[in-house]
Amino acid sequence: MVEILPSILSADFARLGEQVQLLETAGCHMLHVDVMDGHFVPNITIGPPVVASLRKATKLKLDVHLMIEDADRYAPAFVQAGADSVSVHQEACRHLDRTLTMIKSEGALAGVVLNPATPIATLDCVLELVDYVLIMSVNPGFGGQKFIRYTLNKVRALAEKRNQRRLNFTIEIDGGVTRENAAEIANAGVEWLVAGSSVFSGELDLGMSFTTLQREARSASMVKV
Ligand code: DX5
Ligand code: ZN
């Protein structure tokens, strides 16, 4: 089932619990949590205590996206805080196989992320190992950027590879998802669509923004079948 994952990067942090409740009521199943260290990306966000607070406040799945240099050091703390899935950047992990294996052994789903300019061929050796692949459709670091269209070609090629090799990993996309492009993205083969500003900063209320996006994305995948 295609899912919209609201990215709390665009939430009102003073009202985070309340906004998460609204999303839960609207039928949301997963939240996306962006962790930035000011080194791998030029921005700083949140750490494990916020994930632990969210874990107490909601039953939603928590998908943690680590945009940090030292994932080996910090990933276990996010799993212990309650993350259900943790993704790391291919570009930041010198020993990617080891890092992904460690995340799985900690008890979370393990994902690998590619920046827009990184080819999918760099993942050929780990596709058997990963639970999901996150294709960045903006350069990571900030919400509210414009969708980079050529990343859809990467999604299509990855979905094709998954078919050919009879693998089961989920394909996720992150950055610039709107109600105008959600259907096209789902049609390309994406099952998890992260959406920050189009959920939290749209002209509609929160629940309505979420359901509109979800309806768009799901209608497309139904047409595909
Ligand atoms: C960007 C983050 C995204 C961001 C998406 O580095 O990884 O998750 O929150 O925000 P939008 O949907 O506004 O592009
Ligand atoms: Zn993200």
Side-chain angles (χ1 to χ4, degrees), residues 9-222:
L9 186 61
S10 297
D12 177 351
F13 279 84
R15 298 173 50 224
L16 188 55
E18 185 194 322
Q19 294 197 318
V20 169
Q21 284 306 320
L22 288 170
L23 289 167
E24 206 165 341
T25 308
C28 176
H29 294 137
M30 299 175 76
L31 290 177
H32 182 81
V33 180
D34 287 307
V35 176
M36 306 185 186
D37 66 354
H39 292 279
F40 180 66
V41 288
N43 199 0
I44 298 178
T45 57
I46 58 164
V50 175
V51 173
S53 296
L54 278 170
R55 187 66 296 152
K56 282 189 230 146
T58 179
K59 296 235 173 346
L60 297 185
K61 300 268 188 214
L62 300 175
D63 175 43
V64 172
H65 174 192
L66 295 181
M67 285 161 275
I68 66 178
E69 293 286 359
D70 199 347
D72 290 327
R73 179 167 173 193
Y74 296 105
F78 284 96
V79 181
Q80 282 146 31
D84 296 281
S85 53
V86 175
S87 60
V88 295
H89 272 259
Q90 184 274 350
E91 303 86 359
C93 293
R94 196 170 290 163
H95 305 290
L96 185 57
D97 179 284
R98 177 188 287 153
T99 306
L100 294 167
T101 304
M102 177 269 286
I103 291 169
K104 288 169 86 152
S105 71
E106 289 287 327
L109 297 180
V112 63
V113 194
L114 290 184
N115 281 334
T118 310
I120 59 166
T122 57
L123 299 185
D124 275 352
C125 297
V126 293
L127 287 180
E128 264 87 10
L129 185 61
V130 291
D131 296 298
Y132 61 109
V133 176
L134 169 47
I135 301 292
M136 289 307 299
S137 40
V138 298
N139 290 295
F142 305 95
Q145 302 181 79
K146 194 171 171 308
F147 188 81
I148 298 173
R149 282 201 58 84
Y150 69 75
T151 60
L152 276 182
N153 296 332
K154 291 169 70 178
V155 169
R156 292 188 191 101
L158 186 61
E160 176 71 25
K161 222 175 254 235
R162 179 174 60 179
N163 252 346
Q164 279 168 3
R165 289 170 59 177
R166 297 178 195 284
L167 296 172
N168 281 321
F169 58 83
T170 300
I171 302 178
E172 181 174 21
I173 207 160
D174 186 3
V177 173
T178 63
R179 77 182 111 132
E180 285 75 29
N181 62 19
E184 187 182 9
I185 292 168
N187 262 333
V190 174
E191 289 100 5
W192 293 352
L193 290 80
V194 175
S197 47
S198 58
V199 169
F200 289 96
S201 330
E203 73 278 13
L204 302 173
D205 73 49
L206 196 48
M208 193 61 88
S209 300
F210 172 82
T211 44
T212 305
L213 268 171
Q214 193 171 64
R215 197 180 322 117
E216 278 301 313
R218 287 188 176 171
S219 66
S221 63
M222 267 142 66

